[in-house]
Amino acid sequence: MAATPPSPSAPAPVLRACLMEARCEVLRILRTPSFALPTLLFPPLFYVLFGIVLASKGGARPEVATYLLATYGVFGVMGVGLFGFGVNVAIDRQRGLLTLKRALPMPAGAYVFAKMAAAMLFAAICSLTLALLGATLGHVELTPLQWLGLFAVDVLGVLPFCAIGLYVGMRVGGDGAPAVVNLIYLPMAFLSGLWVPLTMLPAILGTLAPAWPAYHLAQLALKVVGHDDGRGSLLHLAVLLGFAAVAMLLARRRLRTSA
């Protein structure tokens, strides 16, 4: 009697299919220089310019380099999540790729899993690049536990922005997605104190900063290096999880009805 083939819902085949989808997504991104290069190069270039070169002229390079290492790490992973999901999902919808994937015998959730895995990989590369620049050119001195904590904040912190990007990608078309994402990405980065400390901005902006998820992720990163605002980590985690949960629920509703 012929052996019964494994059920498509068995854990091993499902995991294998998700990993294969993730591998294809990484290859797809690497073959799209218009996304991969800006995502991986812009945050380190900005950090070198503002956190190292310009800071060295102010006489406080290590302190500024340490602060901006944390905030530019957040800036980098924000871009990975928002553009990787917001733009790519919108393009996939416009080209009919989501409709095709629904017709394929692939596990439910493999599409989102693959994009999240790719986003975490690129966030890790961005974080490691910034850490290398900070430790060498910026003379940033952190303990091994602090380096590991900063890396963990960056890699895991990309997930709430993946959720936000997914919702954006399910709401707008492929042609308009880059503009919409930039309208979210750049103002949020500035208003969250990622480019310059909030203490250097008008007081009203500092008061409104906790409304942005990027602020809370930045505070977690700054807490690792000892430059946060003193609020508890649980508050920041709760806000980030709340943003991610709401965005995912809204995106899931759209995913059920959108092609």
Side-chain angles (χ1 to χ4, degrees):
M1 182 182 293
T4 302
S7 170
S9 61
V14 169
L15 178 60
R16 191 180 306 116
C18 290
L19 293 176
M20 182 62 68
E21 183 75 11
R23 176 179 177 272
C24 293
E25 180 66 21
V26 172
L27 290 175
R28 172 193 180 188
I29 293 174
L30 291 175
R31 293 170 180 172
T32 311
S34 60
F35 169 78
L37 291 180
T39 300
L40 295 178
L41 292 181
F42 281 177
L45 287 176
F46 289 159
Y47 176 66
V48 169
L49 177 60
F50 296 106
I52 297 175
V53 175
L54 294 182
S56 64
K57 298 181 180 180
R61 186 166 93 175
E63 291 78 8
V64 175
T66 301
Y67 182 97
L68 292 180
L69 173 64
T71 58
Y72 271 102
V74 173
F75 177 64
V77 303
M78 279 178 62
V80 172
L82 291 175
F83 281 96
F85 273 76
V87 176
N88 288 343
V89 170
I91 293 174
D92 288 348
R93 285 179 55 241
Q94 183 170 290
R95 293 176 176 175
L97 184 59
L98 285 184
T99 303
L100 173 63
K101 287 187 176 293
R102 285 179 176 178
L104 297 175
M106 61 186 296
Y111 175 79
V112 174
F113 171 84
K115 288 191 174 295
M116 289 175 62
M120 293 178 73
L121 174 62
F122 275 79
I125 295 173
C126 182
S127 182
L128 290 173
T129 303
L130 287 168
L132 179 62
L133 293 172
T136 54
L137 301 180
H139 304 290
V140 174
E141 295 183 0
L142 299 175
T143 66
L145 191 60
Q146 285 177 306
W147 286 115
L148 183 60
L150 204 57
F151 178 77
V153 168
D154 287 342
V155 174
L156 296 177
V158 74
L159 297 179
F161 297 97
C162 289
I164 296 171
L166 177 61
Y167 176 64
V168 173
M170 296 304 300
R171 293 289 303 183
V172 301
D175 294 333
V180 173
V181 169
N182 273 313
L183 285 175
I184 297 172
Y185 179 40
L186 299 179
M188 186 190 300
F190 176 74
L191 296 172
S192 300
L194 303 187
W195 297 345
V196 294
L198 289 169
T199 54
M200 300 176 62
L201 299 176
I204 184 63
L205 297 183
T207 303
L208 297 176
W212 312 111
Y215 166 83
H216 295 278
L217 184 59
Q219 290 303 312
L220 290 176
L222 289 169
K223 188 176 288 292
V224 172
V225 299
H227 290 284
D228 65 303
D229 63 3
R231 292 190 173 107
S233 298
L234 290 179
L235 171 64
H236 302 305
L237 286 171
V239 173
L240 288 170
L241 289 174
F243 270 101
V246 171
M248 284 296 293
L249 287 174
L250 293 174
R252 185 179 180 182
R253 289 181 59 187
R254 292 287 300 179
L255 190 61
R256 286 176 176 176
T257 58
S258 299

